Amino acid sequence: MKTGKTGVLKRIMRMKGMGAALTAFVGLIVIYAAFGFMNPMVFSGQNILNLLRSMSKYLLIGIGQSYVMITGNIDLSLGSIAGMSAMMTATLMTLGVNPIVAMLITLVLCLAVGLVNGLLVGKFKLPPFIATLGTMFIARGVAYIVNGNRNTDNIGITLGKDVADGFQNFFYYGKVLGLFNTFWIAFIIFVICFFILSKTRTGRHIYAIGSNVEAAKLSGVNVVKTTVKAYLISEFCGAIVGFILCAQAGMGNMEAGNVYEMYGVAAGVIGGVSPLGGSGILLGTFAGAAVWQTLENGLNMIGAQVGIQRIVIGVMVVAAVLVSVLRGKKKA
């Protein structure tokens, strides 16, 4: 029995990217403890709950961006997808559309962008930076024009307070087992995406094309189909973040999700997902999202200026990418 447990532990530790993920978790503990020493309120139960809820948006964005980065690509449209999702959902609800129908319509539109991204990059060989830069502007443009270049009214005005409260409680303000629903939504999606990436053929193909796309083709991997799947998952996560942002504000904001695509990159690379493709695990992305949110939360709690916050987080991202590149060169 003991040997079996040891064998499972060894297999877990041998997972590609586990070392970087564990390093990120250690860093998280150190950072959290340091901020707690400077301001004990960091350790308060309410702050922990709020931290987990805020982290969930970065985790979802990080999951989407990690899938794409592991294929060796990037998704610059992800933040704008979240903004488009928030505005589309809110606009439809202010027109009296049932929240479930509004979300389904929005989700289909977001997935359509994912399909376009995947085809442009996988089939037509456009550089992912260019392809997703274009769809980033398109998605943000839709977010602007869908309600006539203005933020929406409160979603409760047309739907009624009870329906609006139900939507907001489900995605942001409600709790289950003492934790905000936002965290549980992100955690469930994390578990599903972790399983897909680590236990299915689709996951193996995603790693394969990120490691060596030509070798993957020779092995029978459908590169176009796999690339499309990665972008579909990315845009799905962006759409869910849009629902959360809409529920949080109770309305649609045209600037919602601004630069969130970079938050996704940060969450991934801090957790050991290589921006060069082929390596990293979502457990690392979980740790990276937690590190990112803990930095933001801790710097706010100690009264650091916004400029200082951006500098500190920027240095963290650059350092994480540098370590990933150096690690890759060392293995090579």
Side-chain angles (χ1 to χ4, degrees), residues 320-332:
V321 174
L322 182 61
V323 169
S324 176
V325 171
L326 293 176
R327 188 186 295 118
K329 287 183 178 180
K330 186 176 180 181
K331 288 180 180 179

Side-chain angles (χ1 to χ4, degrees), residues 48-69:
I48 293 172
L49 287 177
N50 289 332
L51 192 153
L52 288 173
R53 178 169 61 177
S54 297
M55 180 202 84
S56 300
K57 292 177 289 186
Y58 296 155
L59 173 59
L60 287 169
I61 288 290
I63 290 169
Q65 196 69 269
S66 294
Y67 261 79
V68 175
M69 285 198 298

Side-chain angles (χ1 to χ4, degrees), residues 31-145:
I31 292 168
Y32 184 68
F35 282 127
F37 178 77
M38 288 183 275
N39 184 348
M41 286 300 295
V42 169
F43 294 137
S44 69
Q46 188 58 50
N47 185 61
I48 293 172
L49 287 177
N50 289 332
L51 192 153
L52 288 173
R53 178 169 61 177
S54 297
M55 180 202 84
S56 300
K57 292 177 289 186
Y58 296 155
L59 173 59
L60 287 169
I61 288 290
I63 290 169
Q65 196 69 269
S66 294
Y67 261 79
V68 175
M69 285 198 298
I70 291 171
T71 66
N73 299 306
I74 193 168
D75 186 1
L76 296 182
S77 68
L78 191 47
S80 294
I81 289 295
M84 182 177 74
S85 171
M87 278 298 295
M88 279 288 298
T89 306
T91 299
L92 288 169
M93 287 193 287
T94 56
L95 294 174
V97 177
N98 180 278
I100 295 176
V101 176
M103 286 187 291
L104 286 174
I105 293 172
T106 299
L107 183 59
V108 169
L109 181 61
C110 291
L111 292 177
V113 177
L115 176 62
V116 170
N117 281 338
L119 290 175
L120 289 176
V121 175
K123 184 175 179 62
F124 296 104
K125 311 302 180 188
L126 264 66
F129 185 91
I130 300 300
T132 60
L133 180 66
T135 52
M136 176 187 80
F137 283 113
I138 293 170
R140 186 60 65 181
V142 172
Y144 271 84
I145 68 173

Side-chain angles (χ1 to χ4, degrees), residues 10 22 24 26 51 72 148 151 207:
K10 285 182 177 179
L22 292 177
V26 171
L51 192 153
N151 297 333
Y207 280 108

Side-chain angles (χ1 to χ4, degrees), residues 166-187:
F167 171 77
Q168 290 185 269
N169 286 334
F170 182 83
F171 280 101
Y172 197 76
Y173 293 103
K175 290 181 180 178
V176 172
L177 300 177
L179 297 177
F180 285 109
N181 290 346
T182 313
F183 173 78
W184 289 118
I185 291 168
F187 183 73

Side-chain angles (χ1 to χ4, degrees), residues 72-269:
N73 299 306
I74 193 168
D75 186 1
L76 296 182
S77 68
L78 191 47
S80 294
I81 289 295
M84 182 177 74
S85 171
M87 278 298 295
M88 279 288 298
T89 306
T91 299
L92 288 169
M93 287 193 287
T94 56
L95 294 174
V97 177
N98 180 278
I100 295 176
V101 176
M103 286 187 291
L104 286 174
I105 293 172
T106 299
L107 183 59
V108 169
L109 181 61
C110 291
L111 292 177
V113 177
L115 176 62
V116 170
N117 281 338
L119 290 175
L120 289 176
V121 175
K123 184 175 179 62
F124 296 104
K125 311 302 180 188
L126 264 66
F129 185 91
I130 300 300
T132 60
L133 180 66
T135 52
M136 176 187 80
F137 283 113
I138 293 170
R140 186 60 65 181
V142 172
Y144 271 84
I145 68 173
V146 69
N147 195 52
N149 287 293
R150 64 184 181 86
N151 297 333
T152 72
D153 295 325
N154 189 287
I155 59 175
I157 291 178
T158 304
L159 288 177
K161 188 175 184 303
D162 289 343
V163 177
D165 285 351
F167 171 77
Q168 290 185 269
N169 286 334
F170 182 83
F171 280 101
Y172 197 76
Y173 293 103
K175 290 181 180 178
V176 172
L177 300 177
L179 297 177
F180 285 109
N181 290 346
T182 313
F183 173 78
W184 289 118
I185 291 168
F187 183 73
I188 290 169
I189 292 174
F190 164 78
V191 171
I192 294 171
C193 289
F194 181 87
F195 176 80
I196 292 172
L197 195 58
S198 60
K199 300 294 183 181
T200 68
R201 184 172 63 176
T202 294
R204 292 192 294 274
H205 288 179
I206 285 173
Y207 280 108
I209 66 174
S211 298
N212 189 320
V213 66
E214 294 304 322
K217 286 180 181 177
L218 293 174
S219 300
V221 175
N222 188 324
V223 173
V224 176
K225 186 177 180 180
T226 303
T227 303
V228 167
K229 286 180 179 179
Y231 276 106
L232 286 175
I233 290 171
S234 181
E235 265 54 90
F236 171 80
C237 290
I240 300 300
V241 171
F243 300 157
I244 293 170
L245 292 172
C246 178
Q248 180 180 359
M251 58 177 285
N253 186 319
M254 294 185 295
E255 297 300 329
N258 194 26
V259 305
Y260 267 44
E261 63 276 357
M262 294 297 104
Y263 297 164
V265 172
V269 298

